[in-house]
Amino acid sequence: MQNEIQSAVGFAHAKPEKAEELGALLVSFAERSRGEQGCLGSWINQDAEDPNLFVFYEIWATRKDLAAHLAQPYMKEFLAGRDAYLAKELEVRQLHLTGTPGPAAEPADPAEMNQRYLDAYAARDIDAIMAVYAPGAAAVWEPGKAVSGAEHRAAVTEFLKLEPQLSAKVAESYVAGDTAALVVDWSIEVPSKPEMTGTGRGLDVLKKNARGEWRYVITNPFGSL
């Protein structure tokens, strides 16, 4: 039995001097893809033995959604100029999911996203951390200063190097339609930087996207007293 779900898996062999640049570019594409209509998931992997080889995997609700993604200006620009990054031709295969897809693992309660956030931090998984955020989301990194996009990712990447130990508990949860506000009691321990260790009460805002997934649009650990 064949359903409408489409997948694409690809292999990108970077020129050695372009590997870092290509990897960052592909990661940014995956983040943008997750905000597009019909995207059920987008991941970038780097080969464990060959740092110049990147493998991407995407899942789309329909063939039409995948075609619309490939028609995006940023994708067309990359595909037109891909020879500048690649040591050999890009290899892409489109796949059909056979059988019946399993049940969605997305939390129905926005408060459950708090645990997903904690699990991603505990795993030191930068892609999983960024995946809990909606495209363009804002994270208050210090009082009065919010970051988003590439700046947010870079800040989290540097923070993970400090091996932080994070815990958080939802104290209050309010839902109005597709918008939710969570009051969160948190604590953090950073052994290498004791001055960063502390506790607080934050305010997070989430929105439900077109696929029914809750995603953070604002995280502010300093936002509730």
Side-chain angles (χ1 to χ4, degrees):
M1 176 181 177
Q2 183 172 297
N3 51 58
E4 289 190 90
I5 292 178
Q6 302 288 305
S7 299
V9 61
F11 302 86
H13 296 263
K15 296 177 180 178
E17 69 276 13
K18 289 287 187 176
E20 184 175 355
E21 184 179 353
L22 178 62
L25 192 62
L26 292 175
V27 166
S28 73
F29 288 174
E31 292 174 351
R32 294 179 69 169
S33 296
R34 295 181 193 119
E36 294 174 21
Q37 178 66 38
C39 183
L40 304 179
S42 182
W43 301 270
I44 305 299
N45 299 275
Q46 189 171 25
D47 189 274
E49 296 183 359
D50 182 358
N52 299 323
L53 173 59
F54 296 91
V55 181
F56 62 85
Y57 182 58
E58 300 176 341
I59 305 176
W60 297 86
T62 68
R63 181 185 296 272
K64 183 178 178 181
D65 293 326
L66 176 55
H69 164 65
L70 295 174
Q72 291 287 332
Y74 73 92
M75 286 300 300
K76 292 172 72 174
E77 181 181 356
F78 169 72
L79 291 172
R82 63 187 181 277
D83 289 345
Y85 300 94
L86 301 177
K88 57 188 295 186
E89 184 54 78
L90 184 68
E91 180 184 350
V92 181
R93 294 194 177 192
Q94 293 189 16
L95 312 172
H96 300 292
L97 179 67
T98 58
T100 303
E106 288 295 327
D109 183 348
E112 295 177 25
M113 288 297 292
N114 179 69
Q115 188 59 52
R116 178 172 294 191
Y117 183 88
L118 292 174
D119 291 344
Y121 255 98
R124 308 289 187 244
D125 187 336
I126 182 64
D127 289 332
I129 293 171
M130 301 309 298
V132 305
Y133 287 89
V140 180
W141 208 243
E142 58 186 72
K145 181 183 178 182
V147 295
S148 61
E151 186 178 7
H152 182 197
R153 185 184 183 89
V156 174
T157 299
E158 288 302 309
F159 187 53
L160 289 178
K161 294 177 182 178
L162 301 176
E163 297 292 321
Q165 301 299 317
L166 178 65
S167 64
K169 181 178 181 180
V170 176
E172 301 175 40
S173 175
Y174 304 96
V175 180
D178 64 353
T179 304
L182 306 180
V183 177
V184 180
D185 292 325
W186 57 267
S187 65
I188 192 166
E189 182 179 355
V190 187
S192 62
K193 287 197 172 184
E195 67 274 16
M196 297 181 70
T197 295
T199 62
R201 169 164 280 197
L203 178 63
D204 299 333
V205 179
L206 300 92
K207 292 278 288 183
K208 185 181 288 187
N209 62 25
R211 300 187 297 277
E213 303 162 339
W214 288 104
R215 292 293 183 267
Y216 289 97
V217 291
I218 299 173
T219 51
N220 184 1
F222 314 101
S224 183
L225 299 177

